[in-house]
Amino acid sequence: MRITLKTWLLVFLIGGFLSSYAQKQSFFSPEKALMPVGAYYYPEHWDRSQWGRDLKRMSELGFSFTHLAEFAWANLEPEEGWFDFEWLDWCIAEAAKNGLKVILCTPSPCPPAWLTSKYPEILNVNDAGIRSAHGGNRLHANQSNPICRKYIERIVTEMGKRYGNDPRIWGWQIDNEPHLGTIYDYSNFAQVDFKNWLQKKYNNSISTLNSAWGNAFWSSSYNNFNQIRIPNEKESSSNPHALLDYRRYTADGLAGSIRFQATLLRKLVSPQQWITTNFAYYKFLPPVDLFRNKGDLDFASHTMYLLSTFLNYPEGALNFRLGSGMELSFSNEMAKSIQGYTGIMELQPGQINWGVYNAQPLPGAVRMWIWHSFGLGDQFTCTYRFRQPLFGSEQTHKGIIETDGITVARGGKEYVKAIAEVKNLQKYYQPNPLVPISVASRKTAFLWKQDNLWEMQVSPHTKLWDSWQHYYTYYGNLKTMGATVQFIQETDVFDPKEFPFMVAPAYSMVDEKIIAKWTRYVDDGGHLILSCRSGQKDNNGHFHETLLQQPIWKLIGAKVEDNDQLPPDRKASVLFDGKNYSWSVWGELLTPQKETETVATYSDQFYAGTSAVVNRKLGKGTVTYLGVWTNDGELEKQVLRTIYQHAGIQILDLPNYAFVEWRDGFWVGVNYTSETVKLPIPATAKMLIGTTEIKPGEVAVWME
Ligand code: GAL
């Protein structure tokens, strides 16, 4: 059935976009600067005689803000209770003199030696029982610890009092990429804190905990909370339900520490100064859950190192020089989903120091990343860092300026170019641009539940399962259609007028409430796309006492009979629209009900001919269930395209790793593939940068 989009739906969609613009107006004004660009500066790394020169240079190169005081606790409070702000005052004055706004950072990741030697109990302990030590370390203390909190409260209060009403300060970054240096903490403090958290969660009832953790298994039950220790896989404590709770506890602690500082600053700083934290790319830090801080921050900012070697890269000879545009996009859209807008706090200007290897970016790539960040709607871009350090553990990290402190590095030159180009675009900006219908109508909700990620990391069932790669199969394919993706949660409103499409990949843990909510969403006209493993478990991570995934059978219009997994070197086939696609990691055998259409079938193995992908109509919408995960994601791509096209939506057909975005009236196309790409630019478009055909690492900007 073809669904025509009604005008009121579009008005609604456009209204949604505009209201998020309205929200950010007070902090960011596109009519003055579409996307200010800034750079990190660490005055404490350089002789004071150079600060004025450096900040002047920063300004002359086109940067409009700098970022100070991160990690500088030992300089701000050299001894307990003795504060020294003179150097920071001086540097802020120099920045202001050169027309640079300042982002101030709270130095909580770096407790000074006087603090950690007086209270070593605040230090994190890793899973092997080794306590973190002072010295070339950061994020080595647990900020949930009340002693640590007390000292953080004091330094942040001093900073807030001093700079909270200073018009030279643009905004605040709390901490840095908040997480525990050891990822999880097994210290004595954490042992007690975890027990308290459990007591609260389980209303002080050990029998409730015993059943939630399935402690009847292997005689694991506890008589009281005092017997519980943090589940540590190194000690072979592998109760999956306890591990799940421990992840939830850690995430609560991290979010609580950010909230603590945000609440404190909120009381001290002017409403004109914004408060954020720079969430590191979440994939590396599983216990960091951005949604837990929704409401605490003015917005969530994000950081991304595209060549870090740990990301998802496309095929192609140049992939290691162009980086993972898909993960930059994912990171941006996740951060943006928290409050409707975001900015990138750290973007590499060149070679970094911490990848498996650290390749040079392809000439042009640094500029392309800035433009991609622009296209994705970042309200600002900040590069890490202005000067390459001469000492310390990040010595080999490029800056905008080389080690001599004077010469502009290759990446620095690309910054200069991109900054000038963005400034030049300003003259084409028209206030309150209408979101193009094509963009609004492709808006897709990605239903996010961090518990699912944790549950599957704890119980993957096959070592070949990687939830992130599974999410990227869907996310990456959505981007090839030019879809704007918003991450939402179960507690959000599922309104098909706002989100005509919703993907919920491998949504393993479900209860009746979410199934009812999905059903209503589809009934009302939404198009729901679920993938394999969905509905397997309840919210404790137990199987439902039903047949496999039975709670979702009615919704998807099919039975899930079983699942299969293959050895890593084997490939099986699934047939869709006359073409075979290969899969290895996960395949489910589906039996469709009468009204359900089989979209794809297995073409080999003992179950050849069995359904692998099914689709059904329900009320005014549709449900598609993909029980198989293909090796290259091509089947998923074709199925997604079919769903959007049947719904009457205009979609793009971009190669993987070419991206087209719209913001503030501008279309931006970037190319991370190793081939030349022809962008879908109408002949009538006004080209502002580049041409319709862009080479690897190139950019095009146009207005339609
Ligand atoms: C980031 C971190 C920065 C710096 C940078 C180096 O993850 O937030 O402080 O260490 O890496 O690339």
PDB file of all heavy atoms in Angstrom, residues 40 42 70-71 138 176-177 278 280 303 305 346 348 352-354 384 394 397, ligand 1:
ATOM      1  N   TYR A  40      41.694  23.597  21.522  1.00  0.00           N
ATOM      2  CA  TYR A  40      42.139  23.389  22.907  1.00  0.00           C
ATOM      3  C   TYR A  40      43.481  24.062  23.118  1.00  0.00           C
ATOM      4  O   TYR A  40      44.372  23.958  22.278  1.00  0.00           O
ATOM      5  CB  TYR A  40      42.334  21.890  23.181  1.00  0.00           C
ATOM      6  CG  TYR A  40      41.099  21.148  23.606  1.00  0.00           C
ATOM      7  CD1 TYR A  40      39.987  21.082  22.782  1.00  0.00           C
ATOM      8  CD2 TYR A  40      41.049  20.484  24.832  1.00  0.00           C
ATOM      9  CE1 TYR A  40      38.853  20.380  23.169  1.00  0.00           C
ATOM     10  CE2 TYR A  40      39.921  19.773  25.222  1.00  0.00           C
ATOM     11  CZ  TYR A  40      38.828  19.730  24.386  1.00  0.00           C
ATOM     12  OH  TYR A  40      37.719  19.036  24.766  1.00  0.00           O
ATOM     13  N   TYR A  42      46.406  24.511  26.329  1.00  0.00           N
ATOM     14  CA  TYR A  42      46.830  24.172  27.691  1.00  0.00           C
ATOM     15  C   TYR A  42      47.930  25.133  28.102  1.00  0.00           C
ATOM     16  O   TYR A  42      49.118  24.817  27.941  1.00  0.00           O
ATOM     17  CB  TYR A  42      47.350  22.727  27.739  1.00  0.00           C
ATOM     18  CG  TYR A  42      46.287  21.686  27.461  1.00  0.00           C
ATOM     19  CD1 TYR A  42      46.123  21.150  26.194  1.00  0.00           C
ATOM     20  CD2 TYR A  42      45.449  21.241  28.480  1.00  0.00           C
ATOM     21  CE1 TYR A  42      45.141  20.205  25.937  1.00  0.00           C
ATOM     22  CE2 TYR A  42      44.462  20.296  28.231  1.00  0.00           C
ATOM     23  CZ  TYR A  42      44.312  19.783  26.966  1.00  0.00           C
ATOM     24  OH  TYR A  42      43.345  18.854  26.720  1.00  0.00           O
ATOM     25  N   GLU A  70      41.241  22.350  31.344  1.00  0.00           N
ATOM     26  CA  GLU A  70      41.008  20.919  31.429  1.00  0.00           C
ATOM     27  C   GLU A  70      42.250  20.244  32.019  1.00  0.00           C
ATOM     28  O   GLU A  70      43.362  20.536  31.595  1.00  0.00           O
ATOM     29  CB  GLU A  70      40.735  20.390  30.024  1.00  0.00           C
ATOM     30  CG  GLU A  70      40.211  18.991  30.002  1.00  0.00           C
ATOM     31  CD  GLU A  70      40.141  18.452  28.584  1.00  0.00           C
ATOM     32  OE1 GLU A  70      41.165  18.550  27.869  1.00  0.00           O
ATOM     33  OE2 GLU A  70      39.100  17.956  28.216  1.00  0.00           O
ATOM     34  N   PHE A  71      42.071  19.379  32.937  1.00  0.00           N
ATOM     35  CA  PHE A  71      43.159  18.595  33.557  1.00  0.00           C
ATOM     36  C   PHE A  71      44.089  19.431  34.444  1.00  0.00           C
ATOM     37  O   PHE A  71      45.123  18.927  34.871  1.00  0.00           O
ATOM     38  CB  PHE A  71      44.037  17.894  32.508  1.00  0.00           C
ATOM     39  CG  PHE A  71      43.288  17.073  31.495  1.00  0.00           C
ATOM     40  CD1 PHE A  71      43.607  17.148  30.140  1.00  0.00           C
ATOM     41  CD2 PHE A  71      42.281  16.207  31.878  1.00  0.00           C
ATOM     42  CE1 PHE A  71      42.929  16.378  29.196  1.00  0.00           C
ATOM     43  CE2 PHE A  71      41.590  15.428  30.938  1.00  0.00           C
ATOM     44  CZ  PHE A  71      41.930  15.524  29.598  1.00  0.00           C
ATOM     45  N   ARG A 138      44.909   9.797  34.421  1.00  0.00           N
ATOM     46  CA  ARG A 138      43.730  10.649  34.612  1.00  0.00           C
ATOM     47  C   ARG A 138      42.536   9.730  34.754  1.00  0.00           C
ATOM     48  O   ARG A 138      42.629   8.538  34.440  1.00  0.00           O
ATOM     49  CB  ARG A 138      43.555  11.618  33.442  1.00  0.00           C
ATOM     50  CG  ARG A 138      43.331  10.926  32.131  1.00  0.00           C
ATOM     51  CD  ARG A 138      43.108  11.885  30.985  1.00  0.00           C
ATOM     52  NE  ARG A 138      43.066  11.135  29.746  1.00  0.00           N
ATOM     53  CZ  ARG A 138      42.941  11.671  28.549  1.00  0.00           C
ATOM     54  NH1 ARG A 138      42.867  12.962  28.408  1.00  0.00           N
ATOM     55  NH2 ARG A 138      42.896  10.919  27.474  1.00  0.00           N
ATOM     56  N   ASN A 176      36.111  15.380  31.580  1.00  0.00           N
ATOM     57  CA  ASN A 176      36.514  15.119  30.204  1.00  0.00           C
ATOM     58  C   ASN A 176      36.163  13.694  29.850  1.00  0.00           C
ATOM     59  O   ASN A 176      36.565  12.752  30.546  1.00  0.00           O
ATOM     60  CB  ASN A 176      38.017  15.302  30.008  1.00  0.00           C
ATOM     61  CG  ASN A 176      38.461  14.800  28.647  1.00  0.00           C
ATOM     62  OD1 ASN A 176      38.005  15.301  27.626  1.00  0.00           O
ATOM     63  ND2 ASN A 176      39.294  13.779  28.627  1.00  0.00           N
ATOM     64  N   GLU A 177      35.399  13.530  28.783  1.00  0.00           N
ATOM     65  CA  GLU A 177      34.991  12.194  28.359  1.00  0.00           C
ATOM     66  C   GLU A 177      34.704  11.343  29.593  1.00  0.00           C
ATOM     67  O   GLU A 177      35.426  10.364  29.865  1.00  0.00           O
ATOM     68  CB  GLU A 177      36.076  11.545  27.495  1.00  0.00           C
ATOM     69  CG  GLU A 177      36.335  12.292  26.203  1.00  0.00           C
ATOM     70  CD  GLU A 177      37.294  11.575  25.268  1.00  0.00           C
ATOM     71  OE1 GLU A 177      38.142  10.804  25.754  1.00  0.00           O
ATOM     72  OE2 GLU A 177      37.202  11.789  24.048  1.00  0.00           O
ATOM     73  N   ASN A 278      31.717  16.465  27.388  1.00  0.00           N
ATOM     74  CA  ASN A 278      32.086  15.951  26.061  1.00  0.00           C
ATOM     75  C   ASN A 278      32.106  14.430  26.122  1.00  0.00           C
ATOM     76  O   ASN A 278      33.110  13.825  26.449  1.00  0.00           O
ATOM     77  CB  ASN A 278      33.448  16.516  25.626  1.00  0.00           C
ATOM     78  CG  ASN A 278      34.565  16.162  26.566  1.00  0.00           C
ATOM     79  OD1 ASN A 278      34.316  15.787  27.710  1.00  0.00           O
ATOM     80  ND2 ASN A 278      35.796  16.257  26.108  1.00  0.00           N
ATOM     81  N   ALA A 280      32.663  10.853  25.258  1.00  0.00           N
ATOM     82  CA  ALA A 280      33.572  10.181  24.336  1.00  0.00           C
ATOM     83  C   ALA A 280      32.768   9.200  23.544  1.00  0.00           C
ATOM     84  O   ALA A 280      31.696   8.790  23.958  1.00  0.00           O
ATOM     85  CB  ALA A 280      34.624   9.401  25.098  1.00  0.00           C
ATOM     86  N   THR A 303      32.958  13.723  21.189  1.00  0.00           N
ATOM     87  CA  THR A 303      34.333  13.742  20.684  1.00  0.00           C
ATOM     88  C   THR A 303      34.497  12.603  19.663  1.00  0.00           C
ATOM     89  O   THR A 303      33.803  11.599  19.755  1.00  0.00           O
ATOM     90  CB  THR A 303      35.366  13.536  21.817  1.00  0.00           C
ATOM     91  OG1 THR A 303      35.268  12.205  22.323  1.00  0.00           O
ATOM     92  CG2 THR A 303      35.143  14.499  22.968  1.00  0.00           C
ATOM     93  N   TYR A 305      37.581  10.681  17.047  1.00  0.00           N
ATOM     94  CA  TYR A 305      38.888  10.549  16.393  1.00  0.00           C
ATOM     95  C   TYR A 305      38.715   9.552  15.255  1.00  0.00           C
ATOM     96  O   TYR A 305      38.699   8.345  15.474  1.00  0.00           O
ATOM     97  CB  TYR A 305      39.940  10.108  17.418  1.00  0.00           C
ATOM     98  CG  TYR A 305      40.209  11.255  18.385  1.00  0.00           C
ATOM     99  CD1 TYR A 305      39.374  11.489  19.472  1.00  0.00           C
ATOM    100  CD2 TYR A 305      41.250  12.133  18.151  1.00  0.00           C
ATOM    101  CE1 TYR A 305      39.579  12.576  20.311  1.00  0.00           C
ATOM    102  CE2 TYR A 305      41.466  13.214  18.989  1.00  0.00           C
ATOM    103  CZ  TYR A 305      40.627  13.433  20.071  1.00  0.00           C
ATOM    104  OH  TYR A 305      40.831  14.518  20.890  1.00  0.00           O
ATOM    105  N   GLU A 346      35.974  17.564  20.369  1.00  0.00           N
ATOM    106  CA  GLU A 346      37.326  17.156  19.978  1.00  0.00           C
ATOM    107  C   GLU A 346      37.272  16.512  18.598  1.00  0.00           C
ATOM    108  O   GLU A 346      36.551  15.532  18.397  1.00  0.00           O
ATOM    109  CB  GLU A 346      37.897  16.134  20.974  1.00  0.00           C
ATOM    110  CG  GLU A 346      38.092  16.678  22.362  1.00  0.00           C
ATOM    111  CD  GLU A 346      38.620  15.615  23.330  1.00  0.00           C
ATOM    112  OE1 GLU A 346      39.337  14.700  22.892  1.00  0.00           O
ATOM    113  OE2 GLU A 346      38.279  15.700  24.515  1.00  0.00           O
ATOM    114  N   GLN A 348      40.226  15.496  15.576  1.00  0.00           N
ATOM    115  CA  GLN A 348      41.684  15.491  15.394  1.00  0.00           C
ATOM    116  C   GLN A 348      42.105  16.385  14.220  1.00  0.00           C
ATOM    117  O   GLN A 348      41.433  16.407  13.186  1.00  0.00           O
ATOM    118  CB  GLN A 348      42.194  14.057  15.202  1.00  0.00           C
ATOM    119  CG  GLN A 348      41.811  13.413  13.886  1.00  0.00           C
ATOM    120  CD  GLN A 348      42.147  11.935  13.842  1.00  0.00           C
ATOM    121  OE1 GLN A 348      41.365  11.097  14.224  1.00  0.00           O
ATOM    122  NE2 GLN A 348      43.334  11.612  13.349  1.00  0.00           N
ATOM    123  N   ILE A 352      47.225  11.059  15.165  1.00  0.00           N
ATOM    124  CA  ILE A 352      47.089  10.973  16.622  1.00  0.00           C
ATOM    125  C   ILE A 352      48.136  10.019  17.188  1.00  0.00           C
ATOM    126  O   ILE A 352      48.983   9.503  16.456  1.00  0.00           O
ATOM    127  CB  ILE A 352      45.656  10.569  17.060  1.00  0.00           C
ATOM    128  CG1 ILE A 352      45.268   9.186  16.520  1.00  0.00           C
ATOM    129  CG2 ILE A 352      44.658  11.631  16.650  1.00  0.00           C
ATOM    130  CD1 ILE A 352      44.075   8.575  17.210  1.00  0.00           C
ATOM    131  N   ASN A 353      48.069   9.801  18.516  1.00  0.00           N
ATOM    132  CA  ASN A 353      49.140   9.015  19.146  1.00  0.00           C
ATOM    133  C   ASN A 353      48.684   7.645  19.642  1.00  0.00           C
ATOM    134  O   ASN A 353      49.500   6.836  20.020  1.00  0.00           O
ATOM    135  CB  ASN A 353      49.701   9.791  20.344  1.00  0.00           C
ATOM    136  CG  ASN A 353      48.648  10.014  21.412  1.00  0.00           C
ATOM    137  OD1 ASN A 353      47.630  10.657  21.158  1.00  0.00           O
ATOM    138  ND2 ASN A 353      48.858   9.475  22.592  1.00  0.00           N
ATOM    139  N   TRP A 354      47.373   7.388  19.663  1.00  0.00           N
ATOM    140  CA  TRP A 354      46.919   6.222  20.425  1.00  0.00           C
ATOM    141  C   TRP A 354      46.238   5.122  19.613  1.00  0.00           C
ATOM    142  O   TRP A 354      45.697   4.182  20.185  1.00  0.00           O
ATOM    143  CB  TRP A 354      46.014   6.664  21.574  1.00  0.00           C
ATOM    144  CG  TRP A 354      44.885   7.595  21.183  1.00  0.00           C
ATOM    145  CD1 TRP A 354      44.955   8.954  21.065  1.00  0.00           C
ATOM    146  CD2 TRP A 354      43.537   7.244  20.866  1.00  0.00           C
ATOM    147  NE1 TRP A 354      43.737   9.473  20.694  1.00  0.00           N
ATOM    148  CE2 TRP A 354      42.846   8.447  20.577  1.00  0.00           C
ATOM    149  CE3 TRP A 354      42.836   6.039  20.801  1.00  0.00           C
ATOM    150  CZ2 TRP A 354      41.487   8.474  20.223  1.00  0.00           C
ATOM    151  CZ3 TRP A 354      41.482   6.075  20.461  1.00  0.00           C
ATOM    152  CH2 TRP A 354      40.832   7.269  20.177  1.00  0.00           C
ATOM    153  N   TYR A 384      41.180  19.177  18.740  1.00  0.00           N
ATOM    154  CA  TYR A 384      42.109  18.759  19.778  1.00  0.00           C
ATOM    155  C   TYR A 384      43.468  18.587  19.142  1.00  0.00           C
ATOM    156  O   TYR A 384      43.696  17.614  18.471  1.00  0.00           O
ATOM    157  CB  TYR A 384      41.667  17.447  20.421  1.00  0.00           C
ATOM    158  CG  TYR A 384      42.395  17.204  21.719  1.00  0.00           C
ATOM    159  CD1 TYR A 384      41.894  17.729  22.887  1.00  0.00           C
ATOM    160  CD2 TYR A 384      43.603  16.520  21.739  1.00  0.00           C
ATOM    161  CE1 TYR A 384      42.582  17.565  24.072  1.00  0.00           C
ATOM    162  CE2 TYR A 384      44.292  16.363  22.921  1.00  0.00           C
ATOM    163  CZ  TYR A 384      43.776  16.881  24.082  1.00  0.00           C
ATOM    164  OH  TYR A 384      44.457  16.745  25.256  1.00  0.00           O
ATOM    165  N   GLU A 394      51.095  12.236  25.337  1.00  0.00           N
ATOM    166  CA  GLU A 394      50.508  12.473  24.017  1.00  0.00           C
ATOM    167  C   GLU A 394      51.439  13.313  23.136  1.00  0.00           C
ATOM    168  O   GLU A 394      50.994  14.065  22.277  1.00  0.00           O
ATOM    169  CB  GLU A 394      49.131  13.114  24.178  1.00  0.00           C
ATOM    170  CG  GLU A 394      48.163  12.143  24.818  1.00  0.00           C
ATOM    171  CD  GLU A 394      46.745  12.668  24.974  1.00  0.00           C
ATOM    172  OE1 GLU A 394      46.528  13.876  24.785  1.00  0.00           O
ATOM    173  OE2 GLU A 394      45.872  11.858  25.299  1.00  0.00           O
ATOM    174  N   HIS A 397      51.023  13.501  19.334  1.00  0.00           N
ATOM    175  CA  HIS A 397      49.701  13.901  18.829  1.00  0.00           C
ATOM    176  C   HIS A 397      49.832  15.232  18.101  1.00  0.00           C
ATOM    177  O   HIS A 397      50.283  16.213  18.660  1.00  0.00           O
ATOM    178  CB  HIS A 397      48.763  14.054  20.032  1.00  0.00           C
ATOM    179  CG  HIS A 397      47.322  14.092  19.676  1.00  0.00           C
ATOM    180  ND1 HIS A 397      46.735  15.139  18.997  1.00  0.00           N
ATOM    181  CD2 HIS A 397      46.322  13.218  19.935  1.00  0.00           C
ATOM    182  CE1 HIS A 397      45.452  14.904  18.856  1.00  0.00           C
ATOM    183  NE2 HIS A 397      45.166  13.743  19.402  1.00  0.00           N
TER     184      HIS A 397
HETATM  185  C1  GAL B   1      40.687  12.125  23.798  1.00  0.00           C
HETATM  186  C2  GAL B   1      40.786  12.820  25.148  1.00  0.00           C
HETATM  187  C3  GAL B   1      41.757  13.974  25.093  1.00  0.00           C
HETATM  188  C4  GAL B   1      43.043  13.521  24.485  1.00  0.00           C
HETATM  189  C5  GAL B   1      42.754  12.969  23.112  1.00  0.00           C
HETATM  190  C6  GAL B   1      43.991  12.565  22.353  1.00  0.00           C
HETATM  191  O1  GAL B   1      40.008  10.926  23.874  1.00  0.00           O
HETATM  192  O2  GAL B   1      39.535  13.338  25.541  1.00  0.00           O
HETATM  193  O3  GAL B   1      41.952  14.470  26.385  1.00  0.00           O
HETATM  194  O4  GAL B   1      43.625  12.571  25.286  1.00  0.00           O
HETATM  195  O5  GAL B   1      41.940  11.844  23.246  1.00  0.00           O
HETATM  196  O6  GAL B   1      43.662  12.109  21.075  1.00  0.00           O
END
